[in-house]
Amino acid sequence: MIAQPARKYQAFAPVELHDRTWPSQSLTHAPVWLSTDLRDGNQALFEPMNVERKLQLFQELVRIGFKEIEVGFPAASQTDHDFVRRLIDEDLVPDDVTLMVMTQSRADLIERTVDAMRGAPRAIVHLYNATARVWRRVVFGMNVTQVMALVQDHVSLLKRLTDARPETRWTLQYSPETFSATELEVSLRACQTAIATWGAGPGREVIINLPSTVENATPNVFADQIEWMHRRLSPREHIVLSVHPHNDRGTGVAAAELAMLAGAQRVEGCLFGNGERCGNLDLVTVALNLYTQGIHPGLDFSDINGVARVAEACTGLPIHPRHPYAGDLVFTSFSGSHQDAIKKGFAAHDPEGLWQIPYLPIDPADLGRTYDSVIRVNSQSGKGGIAFLLERERGVVMPRRMQVEFSAAVQRHTDASETEMSGPALWALFQTTYLDPGTALSAVAQAITCHAHRLSEDGQGIELDVTIEGVRQTLQGQGNGPIAATVDALGLPLEVHGYEERATGAGAQAQALAIVEAGLAGTPGATFGVGLDSNIVTASVRAVLSVANRLVAPPRTAPAVAATAEG
């Protein structure tokens, strides 16, 4: 990189549009969508699609709901020509879908393009020529007058050829290629030449497509360019103003959205932003951005995973896991603070109300995604995410202090393994920590494991059959309930600070979950024990035994974590 880039690169000049109106506009409806996956997207692939893959993608585009689809460059590619003919000859185009084909401003290509579309009930012919100063000078060696003559000659030819085939309803789409780099007066003159030559009017509309062939300015500049043209194109009521943003600066989506505010009625792009260089406009992102603002895009992405898999299979290009809306990780949070906010959001969410879940701008279920990957656990995760997974997958609802305690155990595990922790692995660690904490301690002094228990009729006395230091013993205790009686039977200086009970599900298969928070008299801090059983009394006894095992276990075997910690 050079020290003074201004010596090599020139800043794009702003548009003189002091009374611009687009900043105060709001999007209220979806545009007309044009998918160019089969043309612009196809020519950007390492290996262009064959007819079968193009047909598969075409059918997916139709299923999604596209009504205008650019299907190829039939005059320049035999594969494209064969594909177009197959669609028409085999009557594969639904009645409400219009095919678009592209051609350069060359007489022989125009003739072959029109012939390739014979028999189609409706057709859009996309005619283009580059208009920017550097293209005029370097590529074509033409002045502005010569460019206008080229536009007039070739639109005139297209008009004669299409008028001779009245069985098809023909529409002209004209693109001043490199529009965003062309002087606005030159772009307007080229478009008006095409409009006048075509004879736009009632029943004979024309599409004027304004591409940022190479994105070369901020999106607000493109919006100014679109509004400038929108005000001057005539007859405006018979013109569909279209935009075709590319993504060289990474702002193609923003450019399209601002262009719609500025007067664009139609948007061209590809699924997931496929296209040359940095890609075309990502139609999926624009459509779902509208959806999150309460505007149905008229496209169906309710099976976003299915759309992604078809696109990947047909193009051979993988979709990035962080791709908006469609990536495998876009609804996933590993961060502890994010997970905690999401958990609380779901807890407060009214299924009949507005979607207001922190960090989730759209309900994954609307796109056919499950909540399975919304929260995943690694070393960056916190108590909220861990609690969310245990509650969702196992019905285990932990008190806040217990969430803090168990998250520390999870973090020790993930730090040691340096890997993500799956739901089953999280449950296994929970079981080891709380439900069976004494298994490894059966030979350690004072470690207690319960084999069986039974209560007296009045519930005030308890008899425990336990193993202590490998010796089976029977302990008896009294209290005002099973927890107090169990504490008395153990003979340990246990102080119970809290007790909670709940069901881990609904119906006959639900189990009772008991959680006891306790400490040792004269010792700071406390910890938790858990009991799980079909009987709540049994679960409560197991919870006391669990916390007793955890409190008396040597730190090297089962390190205790202060339950009062909030970090």
mmCIF file of all heavy atoms in Angstrom, residues 370-394:
data_model
loop_
_atom_site.group_PDB
_atom_site.id
_atom_site.type_symbol
_atom_site.label_atom_id
_atom_site.label_comp_id
_atom_site.label_asym_id
_atom_site.label_seq_id
_atom_site.Cartn_x
_atom_site.Cartn_y
_atom_site.Cartn_z
ATOM 1 N N THR A 370 -34.596 -24.802 13.440
ATOM 2 C CA THR A 370 -34.987 -25.140 14.796
ATOM 3 C C THR A 370 -34.211 -24.275 15.774
ATOM 4 O O THR A 370 -33.318 -23.512 15.389
ATOM 5 C CB THR A 370 -34.703 -26.616 15.095
ATOM 6 O OG1 THR A 370 -33.280 -26.814 15.128
ATOM 7 C CG2 THR A 370 -35.318 -27.517 14.034
ATOM 8 N N TYR A 371 -34.543 -24.401 17.034
ATOM 9 C CA TYR A 371 -33.816 -23.680 18.078
ATOM 10 C C TYR A 371 -32.627 -24.491 18.595
ATOM 11 O O TYR A 371 -31.964 -24.080 19.545
ATOM 12 C CB TYR A 371 -34.747 -23.345 19.241
ATOM 13 C CG TYR A 371 -35.901 -22.437 18.864
ATOM 14 C CD1 TYR A 371 -37.201 -22.755 19.200
ATOM 15 C CD2 TYR A 371 -35.678 -21.263 18.150
ATOM 16 C CE1 TYR A 371 -38.262 -21.932 18.852
ATOM 17 C CE2 TYR A 371 -36.717 -20.431 17.794
ATOM 18 C CZ TYR A 371 -38.009 -20.766 18.147
ATOM 19 O OH TYR A 371 -39.047 -19.945 17.792
ATOM 20 N N ASP A 372 -32.364 -25.626 17.973
ATOM 21 C CA ASP A 372 -31.327 -26.523 18.487
ATOM 22 C C ASP A 372 -29.960 -25.861 18.549
ATOM 23 O O ASP A 372 -29.157 -26.179 19.420
ATOM 24 C CB ASP A 372 -31.238 -27.784 17.623
ATOM 25 C CG ASP A 372 -32.449 -28.683 17.796
ATOM 26 O OD1 ASP A 372 -33.194 -28.462 18.765
ATOM 27 O OD2 ASP A 372 -32.652 -29.587 16.972
ATOM 28 N N SER A 373 -29.667 -24.985 17.608
ATOM 29 C CA SER A 373 -28.323 -24.398 17.576
ATOM 30 C C SER A 373 -28.310 -22.942 18.003
ATOM 31 O O SER A 373 -27.320 -22.245 17.800
ATOM 32 C CB SER A 373 -27.744 -24.515 16.161
ATOM 33 O OG SER A 373 -28.528 -23.783 15.241
ATOM 34 N N VAL A 374 -29.413 -22.445 18.576
ATOM 35 C CA VAL A 374 -29.442 -21.042 18.983
ATOM 36 C C VAL A 374 -28.370 -20.772 20.028
ATOM 37 O O VAL A 374 -27.713 -19.738 20.012
ATOM 38 C CB VAL A 374 -30.843 -20.668 19.516
ATOM 39 C CG1 VAL A 374 -30.818 -19.321 20.228
ATOM 40 C CG2 VAL A 374 -31.837 -20.625 18.372
ATOM 41 N N ILE A 375 -28.199 -21.720 20.953
ATOM 42 C CA ILE A 375 -27.168 -21.588 21.980
ATOM 43 C C ILE A 375 -26.303 -22.839 21.955
ATOM 44 O O ILE A 375 -26.806 -23.955 22.002
ATOM 45 C CB ILE A 375 -27.799 -21.392 23.377
ATOM 46 C CG1 ILE A 375 -28.419 -19.983 23.473
ATOM 47 C CG2 ILE A 375 -26.774 -21.614 24.478
ATOM 48 C CD1 ILE A 375 -29.132 -19.717 24.770
ATOM 49 N N ARG A 376 -25.012 -22.610 21.835
ATOM 50 C CA ARG A 376 -24.058 -23.721 21.886
ATOM 51 C C ARG A 376 -22.958 -23.364 22.872
ATOM 52 O O ARG A 376 -22.653 -22.184 23.087
ATOM 53 C CB ARG A 376 -23.489 -23.995 20.487
ATOM 54 C CG ARG A 376 -24.536 -24.640 19.582
ATOM 55 C CD ARG A 376 -24.208 -24.562 18.126
ATOM 56 N NE ARG A 376 -22.982 -25.278 17.779
ATOM 57 C CZ ARG A 376 -22.566 -25.421 16.521
ATOM 58 N NH1 ARG A 376 -23.269 -24.934 15.518
ATOM 59 N NH2 ARG A 376 -21.450 -26.069 16.271
ATOM 60 N N VAL A 377 -22.369 -24.369 23.479
ATOM 61 C CA VAL A 377 -21.500 -24.150 24.618
ATOM 62 C C VAL A 377 -20.045 -24.400 24.261
ATOM 63 O O VAL A 377 -19.693 -25.449 23.718
ATOM 64 C CB VAL A 377 -21.914 -25.073 25.793
ATOM 65 C CG1 VAL A 377 -20.911 -24.989 26.934
ATOM 66 C CG2 VAL A 377 -23.312 -24.694 26.285
ATOM 67 N N ASN A 378 -19.209 -23.394 24.537
ATOM 68 C CA ASN A 378 -17.757 -23.555 24.492
ATOM 69 C C ASN A 378 -17.162 -22.770 25.656
ATOM 70 O O ASN A 378 -17.885 -22.378 26.576
ATOM 71 C CB ASN A 378 -17.189 -23.124 23.136
ATOM 72 C CG ASN A 378 -17.375 -21.642 22.852
ATOM 73 O OD1 ASN A 378 -17.741 -20.867 23.739
ATOM 74 N ND2 ASN A 378 -17.135 -21.248 21.617
ATOM 75 N N SER A 379 -15.868 -22.509 25.604
ATOM 76 C CA SER A 379 -15.219 -21.858 26.741
ATOM 77 C C SER A 379 -15.651 -20.406 26.917
ATOM 78 O O SER A 379 -15.368 -19.802 27.955
ATOM 79 C CB SER A 379 -13.692 -21.925 26.584
ATOM 80 O OG SER A 379 -13.288 -21.255 25.401
ATOM 81 N N GLN A 380 -16.316 -19.822 25.923
ATOM 82 C CA GLN A 380 -16.782 -18.449 26.026
ATOM 83 C C GLN A 380 -18.204 -18.366 26.584
ATOM 84 O O GLN A 380 -18.736 -17.275 26.774
ATOM 85 C CB GLN A 380 -16.755 -17.785 24.642
ATOM 86 C CG GLN A 380 -15.396 -17.798 23.969
ATOM 87 C CD GLN A 380 -14.344 -17.089 24.786
ATOM 88 O OE1 GLN A 380 -14.539 -15.947 25.209
ATOM 89 N NE2 GLN A 380 -13.224 -17.750 25.017
ATOM 90 N N SER A 381 -18.819 -19.500 26.802
ATOM 91 C CA SER A 381 -20.231 -19.515 27.175
ATOM 92 C C SER A 381 -20.406 -19.204 28.646
ATOM 93 O O SER A 381 -19.493 -19.356 29.462
ATOM 94 C CB SER A 381 -20.838 -20.874 26.848
ATOM 95 O OG SER A 381 -20.690 -21.158 25.469
ATOM 96 N N GLY A 382 -21.617 -18.794 28.987
ATOM 97 C CA GLY A 382 -21.927 -18.443 30.365
ATOM 98 C C GLY A 382 -23.081 -19.245 30.912
ATOM 99 O O GLY A 382 -23.611 -20.147 30.273
ATOM 100 N N LYS A 383 -23.487 -18.853 32.092
ATOM 101 C CA LYS A 383 -24.510 -19.603 32.819
ATOM 102 C C LYS A 383 -25.849 -19.600 32.085
ATOM 103 O O LYS A 383 -26.582 -20.584 32.108
ATOM 104 C CB LYS A 383 -24.671 -19.022 34.215
ATOM 105 C CG LYS A 383 -25.083 -17.551 34.241
ATOM 106 C CD LYS A 383 -25.095 -17.006 35.656
ATOM 107 C CE LYS A 383 -25.580 -15.560 35.681
ATOM 108 N NZ LYS A 383 -24.740 -14.650 34.883
ATOM 109 N N GLY A 384 -26.175 -18.466 31.433
ATOM 110 C CA GLY A 384 -27.464 -18.381 30.764
ATOM 111 C C GLY A 384 -27.614 -19.391 29.653
ATOM 112 O O GLY A 384 -28.657 -20.040 29.513
ATOM 113 N N GLY A 385 -26.579 -19.543 28.848
ATOM 114 C CA GLY A 385 -26.638 -20.489 27.745
ATOM 115 C C GLY A 385 -26.699 -21.926 28.212
ATOM 116 O O GLY A 385 -27.441 -22.750 27.663
ATOM 117 N N ILE A 386 -25.910 -22.226 29.227
ATOM 118 C CA ILE A 386 -25.909 -23.584 29.772
ATOM 119 C C ILE A 386 -27.276 -23.911 30.364
ATOM 120 O O ILE A 386 -27.834 -24.989 30.142
ATOM 121 C CB ILE A 386 -24.797 -23.710 30.832
ATOM 122 C CG1 ILE A 386 -23.424 -23.568 30.166
ATOM 123 C CG2 ILE A 386 -24.910 -25.019 31.598
ATOM 124 C CD1 ILE A 386 -22.296 -23.269 31.128
ATOM 125 N N ALA A 387 -27.840 -22.962 31.101
ATOM 126 C CA ALA A 387 -29.157 -23.174 31.698
ATOM 127 C C ALA A 387 -30.221 -23.340 30.608
ATOM 128 O O ALA A 387 -31.135 -24.160 30.739
ATOM 129 C CB ALA A 387 -29.510 -21.987 32.602
ATOM 130 N N PHE A 388 -30.090 -22.573 29.535
ATOM 131 C CA PHE A 388 -31.053 -22.668 28.419
ATOM 132 C C PHE A 388 -31.050 -24.068 27.826
ATOM 133 O O PHE A 388 -32.109 -24.664 27.585
ATOM 134 C CB PHE A 388 -30.697 -21.629 27.364
ATOM 135 C CG PHE A 388 -31.563 -21.679 26.133
ATOM 136 C CD1 PHE A 388 -32.766 -20.997 26.082
ATOM 137 C CD2 PHE A 388 -31.165 -22.412 25.018
ATOM 138 C CE1 PHE A 388 -33.568 -21.047 24.943
ATOM 139 C CE2 PHE A 388 -31.959 -22.459 23.882
ATOM 140 C CZ PHE A 388 -33.166 -21.777 23.849
ATOM 141 N N LEU A 389 -29.855 -24.609 27.579
ATOM 142 C CA LEU A 389 -29.763 -25.934 26.967
ATOM 143 C C LEU A 389 -30.309 -27.014 27.886
ATOM 144 O O LEU A 389 -31.055 -27.906 27.449
ATOM 145 C CB LEU A 389 -28.308 -26.235 26.606
ATOM 146 C CG LEU A 389 -27.733 -25.487 25.403
ATOM 147 C CD1 LEU A 389 -26.275 -25.889 25.186
ATOM 148 C CD2 LEU A 389 -28.536 -25.763 24.148
ATOM 149 N N LEU A 390 -29.972 -26.955 29.159
ATOM 150 C CA LEU A 390 -30.468 -27.979 30.082
ATOM 151 C C LEU A 390 -31.983 -27.900 30.237
ATOM 152 O O LEU A 390 -32.669 -28.924 30.336
ATOM 153 C CB LEU A 390 -29.794 -27.831 31.444
ATOM 154 C CG LEU A 390 -28.337 -28.314 31.516
ATOM 155 C CD1 LEU A 390 -27.733 -27.980 32.870
ATOM 156 C CD2 LEU A 390 -28.249 -29.814 31.248
ATOM 157 N N GLU A 391 -32.507 -26.695 30.239
ATOM 158 C CA GLU A 391 -33.964 -26.547 30.369
ATOM 159 C C GLU A 391 -34.669 -27.046 29.110
ATOM 160 O O GLU A 391 -35.676 -27.746 29.185
ATOM 161 C CB GLU A 391 -34.315 -25.088 30.635
ATOM 162 C CG GLU A 391 -35.810 -24.861 30.795
ATOM 163 C CD GLU A 391 -36.138 -23.429 31.170
ATOM 164 O OE1 GLU A 391 -35.204 -22.650 31.498
ATOM 165 O OE2 GLU A 391 -37.336 -23.077 31.126
ATOM 166 N N ARG A 392 -34.128 -26.675 27.940
ATOM 167 C CA ARG A 392 -34.786 -27.059 26.694
ATOM 168 C C ARG A 392 -34.685 -28.554 26.423
ATOM 169 O O ARG A 392 -35.651 -29.193 26.006
ATOM 170 C CB ARG A 392 -34.158 -26.289 25.531
ATOM 171 C CG ARG A 392 -34.876 -26.503 24.200
ATOM 172 C CD ARG A 392 -34.052 -25.980 23.055
ATOM 173 N NE ARG A 392 -32.826 -26.761 22.909
ATOM 174 C CZ ARG A 392 -31.780 -26.362 22.201
ATOM 175 N NH1 ARG A 392 -31.800 -25.198 21.598
ATOM 176 N NH2 ARG A 392 -30.698 -27.114 22.109
ATOM 177 N N GLU A 393 -33.498 -29.129 26.672
ATOM 178 C CA GLU A 393 -33.276 -30.518 26.287
ATOM 179 C C GLU A 393 -33.636 -31.514 27.386
ATOM 180 O O GLU A 393 -33.972 -32.663 27.086
ATOM 181 C CB GLU A 393 -31.811 -30.712 25.876
ATOM 182 C CG GLU A 393 -31.428 -29.890 24.643
ATOM 183 C CD GLU A 393 -30.025 -30.189 24.163
ATOM 184 O OE1 GLU A 393 -29.379 -31.098 24.717
ATOM 185 O OE2 GLU A 393 -29.578 -29.509 23.222
ATOM 186 N N ARG A 394 -33.549 -31.088 28.657
ATOM 187 C CA ARG A 394 -33.775 -32.042 29.750
ATOM 188 C C ARG A 394 -34.835 -31.596 30.742
ATOM 189 O O ARG A 394 -35.153 -32.341 31.676
ATOM 190 C CB ARG A 394 -32.454 -32.280 30.513
ATOM 191 C CG ARG A 394 -31.374 -32.920 29.656
ATOM 192 C CD ARG A 394 -31.710 -34.357 29.324
ATOM 193 N NE ARG A 394 -30.724 -34.930 28.409
ATOM 194 C CZ ARG A 394 -30.688 -36.219 28.087
ATOM 195 N NH1 ARG A 394 -31.580 -37.043 28.603
ATOM 196 N NH2 ARG A 394 -29.788 -36.672 27.230
#
